[in-house]
Amino acid sequence: MNDISILTNSLDRFGISYNKDQIDKLYKYYEMLIEKNAVMNLTAITDFEGVMMKHFVDSLAILKYINIEDNAKVLDIGTGAGFPGIPLKILLPNVDFVLLDAVNKKLRFIKEVIEELGLERIDVIHARAEDLAHIKEYREKFDFVVSRAVANLATLTELSLPFVKKNGYFIPYKSALVDEEILKATHAIRVTGGKYEKVQKFTLPGYSDERNFVFIRKGVNTPSTYPRKAGLPAKKPL
Ligand code: SAH
């Protein structure tokens, strides 16, 4: 039997509030993820506890450390099967979300989830971040940009900071050994107009591996030369 208290207990531990409808939606999302994963590769984690903890609680843990106000705009870069974007959207109905990925078939799954759960104020965009960041409608328009398991911090900074509003935050989800990544991203953060603020370490309840949120604040506008053309931020990090 799947016991949903593994999810709710963890959210309680983190002081993250939710209602029953939101938990039902997360459960439905889990069912759709497992069902679709049998025919396409969406996740390597398929056991109930693993999905609840390593996908859902991990995605939502950021809410312990930041307050995302109603009507804020959040972008998830490289959302894949919807992490962290979909769990965050479920818990934040009054926040505007954009989920971006370069691979369309994963986005088709996300659109099915949005439809089935009746999620609103959420857009899904099929593009590379390098291209979308140069489109006026998206450039420097987001209060928060999040991203999990997409690229090293230097690369990800070039992809993400252009989307962040002045005084907004880019907050990547990172695993252990983040200090060295931050050091290597010093230049990328500076030239894209960012300011490194802090690292917030955390662990999932019952797990020992270290996880980190890196807080990078947008200080000044990003020069229009960034991000460079598709592929370069990964091939030749700043
Ligand atoms: N964030 C999800 C998926 C991680 S896999 C999770 O944590 O589970 C990385 C995803 O990033 C892939 O779906 C890939 O298509 C996408 N991606 C990588 N580089 C990208 C880019 N430059 N622009 C948009 N999406 C990108």
Side-chain angles (χ1 to χ4, degrees):
M1 230 341 242
N2 293 330
D3 185 355
I4 199 72
S5 66
I6 185 146
L7 172 64
T8 52
N9 286 343
S10 299
L11 296 179
D12 292 343
R13 279 271 290 276
F14 280 170
I16 296 170
S17 43
Y18 54 85
N19 61 36
K20 182 172 183 310
D21 174 62
Q22 291 165 336
I23 299 300
D24 289 347
K25 286 189 162 101
L26 286 167
Y27 191 82
K28 181 73 201 167
Y29 176 34
Y30 155 77
E31 288 184 325
M32 292 180 78
L33 182 70
I34 297 306
E35 193 186 325
K36 190 59 118 194
N37 202 49
V39 292
M40 68 181 280
N41 186 21
L42 288 171
T43 172
I45 299 166
T46 56
D47 64 295
F48 179 75
E49 178 180 328
V51 173
M52 293 299 128
M53 298 302 297
K54 294 179 186 166
H55 282 328
F56 292 180
V57 178
D58 189 52
S59 291
L60 295 169
I62 195 169
L63 300 178
K64 179 177 179 193
Y65 305 107
I66 58 167
N67 176 34
I68 305 182
E69 289 178 2
D70 283 357
N71 305 315
K73 290 164 87 67
V74 180
L75 171 67
D76 178 11
I77 295 183
T79 192
F83 303 114
I86 294 281
L88 287 172
K89 172 71 255 184
I90 291 171
L91 259 67
L92 300 169
N94 300 320
V95 170
D96 290 320
F97 278 84
V98 175
L99 274 48
L100 170 67
D101 206 286
V103 175
N104 206 18
K105 64 177 185 165
K106 294 185 187 172
L107 295 180
R108 278 200 288 270
F109 166 70
I110 293 182
K111 285 180 188 158
E112 286 172 26
V113 172
I114 290 171
E115 180 76 26
E116 178 72 24
L117 303 187
L119 300 178
E120 289 170 353
R121 302 180 68 166
I122 179 166
D123 286 333
V124 169
I125 298 182
H126 175 217
R128 292 192 66 134
E130 291 95 320
D131 300 323
L132 194 73
H134 288 288
I135 294 176
K136 196 165 172 266
E137 204 187 328
Y138 296 98
R139 192 173 180 91
E140 278 152 355
K141 293 289 186 288
F142 293 89
D143 300 286
F144 296 96
V145 173
V146 293
S147 187
R148 190 184 83 155
V150 172
N152 69 73
L153 189 61
T155 299
L156 203 53
T157 295
E158 183 176 357
L159 299 180
S160 304
L161 251 298
F163 289 102
V164 183
K165 267 185 199 167
K166 213 169 158 193
N167 292 321
Y169 281 92
F170 162 47
I171 309 179
Y173 289 57
K174 286 284 166 193
S175 48
L177 305 175
V178 72
D179 295 339
E180 197 190 320
E181 261 195 72
I182 292 169
L183 214 57
K184 283 190 180 149
T186 307
H187 180 66
I189 293 169
R190 184 158 40 81
V191 300
T192 56
K195 198 170 183 324
Y196 165 75
E197 275 193 357
K198 63 171 180 180
V199 166
Q200 178 63 60
K201 293 189 193 306
F202 73 104
T203 55
L204 299 172
Y207 292 76
S208 58
D209 56 308
E210 179 185 310
R211 289 156 191 259
N212 295 282
F213 291 117
V214 185
F215 283 68
I216 297 168
R217 182 198 266 266
K218 180 85 166 240
V220 296
N221 285 353
T222 306
S224 60
T225 38
Y226 303 119
R228 292 166 295 162
K229 74 175 188 351
L232 264 188
K235 210 178 301 163
K236 291 196 166 107
L238 288 171

